[in-house]
Amino acid sequence: MTDDDVKRARTHARILEGFARAERALFTRPAPKSARAQMKFLRTREKGSTKSLAARLGVSRKTVQRYLSGASTKPNKRLQAALVEETESEWQPQVRAQARQHAASSGGLVISCRAYFGLGPEGTSDAGRVRDITVAVSPSHAAAIIAAQEEGATQDDLHDAVAEAIADAYFRQGGGGRADLEVKFADVEWLNITF
């Protein structure tokens, strides 16, 4: 794996983390916090099957049953992380769907990030450098990003969709005379998304 592959994988992970944080901010009710409540919720999502829940969490069926009965209450770090991640990924799907639909049809997204942006030759004010950028992304770009994320796009496709949205909104200003400007987007240190 090359250095560029590692950077793209890291960018992909940061984009997905940004989506997850944005969706958690939308919740109208808090997600279950205790291991038992999380297990009960996830079991309902698995249509009552403790076997498929155990496979989903990477634990034994007996472990799931101990948490459901209350015999176990304190999961190890790996299981706790899996419970939180899986619970939040399934929590309030209609709220998330409505926010995504609104962003893709009329609201757009706000993307804030710190990353390397390069758009001009070295020695000019447009030379590549790390920048902090916050930009409102159009609904059409939001729809492309959301579609790529929902369809499990490759890290390159998702990276390119986010890069194009930021470049168009911030550097090209919607095409205003700079429509052909080539922008390099790399080395993402952090990225936040707001619906």
Side-chain angles (χ1 to χ4, degrees):
M1 187 177 260
T2 68
D3 191 39
D4 282 344
D5 292 339
V6 170
K7 288 177 182 178
R8 280 202 180 257
R10 191 174 23 230
T11 297
H12 185 256
R14 293 210 169 106
I15 293 168
L16 295 178
E17 289 166 7
F19 266 108
R21 280 191 304 276
E23 288 178 340
R24 282 193 300 268
L26 297 171
F27 294 160
T28 58
R29 295 185 332 257
K33 298 289 184 218
S34 73
R36 184 176 185 191
Q38 290 168 333
M39 287 282 189
K40 284 182 175 184
F41 170 73
L42 291 171
R43 182 180 60 183
T44 63
R45 302 305 283 180
E46 293 293 330
K47 299 180 180 23
S49 171
T50 55
K51 183 178 180 180
S52 62
L53 176 56
R56 181 176 181 177
L57 295 172
V59 296
S60 70
R61 190 174 189 177
K62 202 161 196 67
T63 299
V64 170
Q65 292 167 342
R66 280 195 310 268
Y67 281 97
L68 288 171
S69 70
S72 294
T73 57
K74 297 203 186 263
N76 62 33
K77 287 183 181 181
R78 191 204 58 74
L79 179 56
Q80 181 61 42
L83 283 168
V84 168
E85 182 180 335
E86 293 298 323
T87 300
E88 289 181 351
S89 73
E90 295 276 345
W91 191 248
Q92 294 191 320
Q94 293 166 334
V95 170
R96 284 197 307 273
Q98 288 170 352
R100 287 170 177 255
Q101 177 61 36
H102 176 71
S105 62
S106 60
L109 297 170
V110 175
I111 299 176
S112 302
C113 66
R114 179 175 178 80
Y116 175 89
F117 291 94
L119 53 134
E122 292 299 318
T124 67
S125 62
D126 287 339
R129 64 181 183 271
V130 174
R131 302 172 193 240
D132 290 333
I133 291 179
T134 299
V135 64
V137 173
S138 71
S140 61
H141 282 299
I145 293 168
I146 290 168
Q149 193 263 341
E150 287 176 345
E151 294 166 4
T154 66
Q155 61 190 29
D156 289 340
D157 291 341
L158 189 57
H159 174 274
D160 293 347
V162 172
E164 183 63 24
I166 293 171
D168 198 42
Y170 188 83
F171 295 103
R172 298 182 197 128
Q173 297 152 355
R178 301 172 70 171
D180 60 346
L181 185 66
E182 193 70 30
V183 178
K184 181 180 179 190
F185 172 62
D187 300 337
V188 177
E189 292 180 24
W190 55 265
L191 185 136
N192 290 317
I193 297 172
T194 307
F195 284 96

